[in-house]
Amino acid sequence: DGIRDVAVTGVQTCALPISLATSLADRVWHFDPTPPPDENRTMTPQPRWQWRPEAVRTFPARFETWDRENFGLRSTLIHAHAQVALDVLGNSPHKDVLIGKDGWLYFAIPKSIDAYRCLFAYQPAELQGEVATVRERRDWLAARGIRYLNVWAPVKTNVYPEFLPGWVKKSGKVCRLDQWLAAMRTAQLPVLDLRPAMRAAKQDGLAYHRTDSHWNPRSEDHTSELPSRLHLVCRLLLEKK
């Protein structure tokens, strides 16, 4: 045990300076082989030192933000963290992504999964307010010669629930969207629920990519004509008004 403890301590003692030195070297020579991740945001520019009092006061925080986004081997470390979380621990490396069955990914943004599970219901007063809002929009558009159709595009969870993790189950309550649609139809307001059409479309091919949250009319040699069908349905419905 003593030899093992010494060996572990030695590895830890050497690992820290080596990792720091490698990170600093990459900061200078840029040899990180991993492409930078697509973060879909503007990275923080390197702050410039200025002698103005406000600039001096904020420089440490600005430099720390820039340093966090530009430390050496950042791309490789981010990739390694994601791979360990996904392949070793079986966890999602991102808080807004839910890992489903067979490699399917879903958005897990706040309340999205709760909405699928029907955990939150409209109160009667809320539904009355929703009806009043939609009616006001319809009347405002009608006064300008514009026909109004409220179309609800389904999220991925409502079209491919079979690939969700086993713990994601319906609560047995009425979902908010179903409450909303029922209230609009009772008030004879123009609405179109695309969930049945999308569920039918997936029989001819994937309607969504496994790792994407957007509609996918063409995937893996399958072609879905859903966009053109929906355009025709909407046009016919509006022409009947």
Side-chain angles (χ1 to χ4, degrees), residues 49-62:
W49 176 262
Q50 296 176 312
W51 287 104
R52 292 184 296 104
E54 181 64 17
V56 172
R57 185 183 67 82
T58 61
F59 182 82
R62 291 185 289 119

Side-chain angles (χ1 to χ4, degrees), residues 16-29:
L16 180 59
I18 290 174
S19 61
L20 289 175
T22 305
S23 178
L24 290 173
D26 180 64
R27 178 74 67 86
V28 176
W29 289 292

Side-chain angles (χ1 to χ4, degrees), residues 24-121:
L24 290 173
D26 180 64
R27 178 74 67 86
V28 176
W29 289 292
H30 306 291
F31 53 77
D32 188 346
T34 306
D38 183 5
E39 301 185 48
N40 195 29
R41 65 186 179 97
T42 301
M43 305 299 285
T44 303
Q46 183 175 358
R48 294 183 178 181
W49 176 262
Q50 296 176 312
W51 287 104
R52 292 184 296 104
E54 181 64 17
V56 172
R57 185 183 67 82
T58 61
F59 182 82
R62 291 185 289 119
F63 182 85
E64 183 179 1
T65 300
W66 171 81
D67 186 65
R68 284 200 304 265
E69 297 178 357
N70 293 275
F71 59 84
L73 296 177
R74 180 176 184 269
S75 298
T76 291
L77 292 173
I78 289 176
H79 180 75
H81 172 268
Q83 290 299 118
V84 170
L86 183 62
D87 298 335
V88 178
L89 303 178
N91 297 326
S92 172
H94 197 286
K95 63 181 179 61
D96 291 337
V97 177
L98 178 67
I99 300 176
K101 302 172 184 176
D102 299 333
W104 281 69
L105 301 181
Y106 296 86
F107 258 142
I109 54 179
K111 295 188 177 181
S112 61
I113 299 300
D114 291 344
Y116 167 78
R117 299 179 65 197
C118 311
L119 297 182
F120 302 100

Side-chain angles (χ1 to χ4, degrees), residues 172-217:
K173 302 176 183 178
V174 179
C175 288
R176 284 171 64 90
L177 178 55
D178 293 319
Q179 286 182 290
W180 191 92
L181 290 168
M184 297 301 149
R185 288 164 179 157
T186 300
Q188 297 184 335
L189 292 169
V191 294
L192 178 61
D193 180 10
L194 299 183
R195 289 176 297 179
M198 288 291 286
R199 289 165 184 159
K202 77 177 187 179
Q203 305 303 321
D204 300 325
L206 288 178
Y208 293 83
H209 281 301
R210 292 191 308 164
T211 58
D212 199 296
S213 63
H214 298 89
W215 291 12
N216 176 32

Side-chain angles (χ1 to χ4, degrees), residues 216-231:
N216 176 32
R218 186 185 300 273
S219 179
E220 297 181 6
D221 297 328
H222 291 283
T223 301
S224 170
E225 298 177 357
L226 183 59
S228 59
R229 293 175 186 169
L230 294 179
H231 180 271

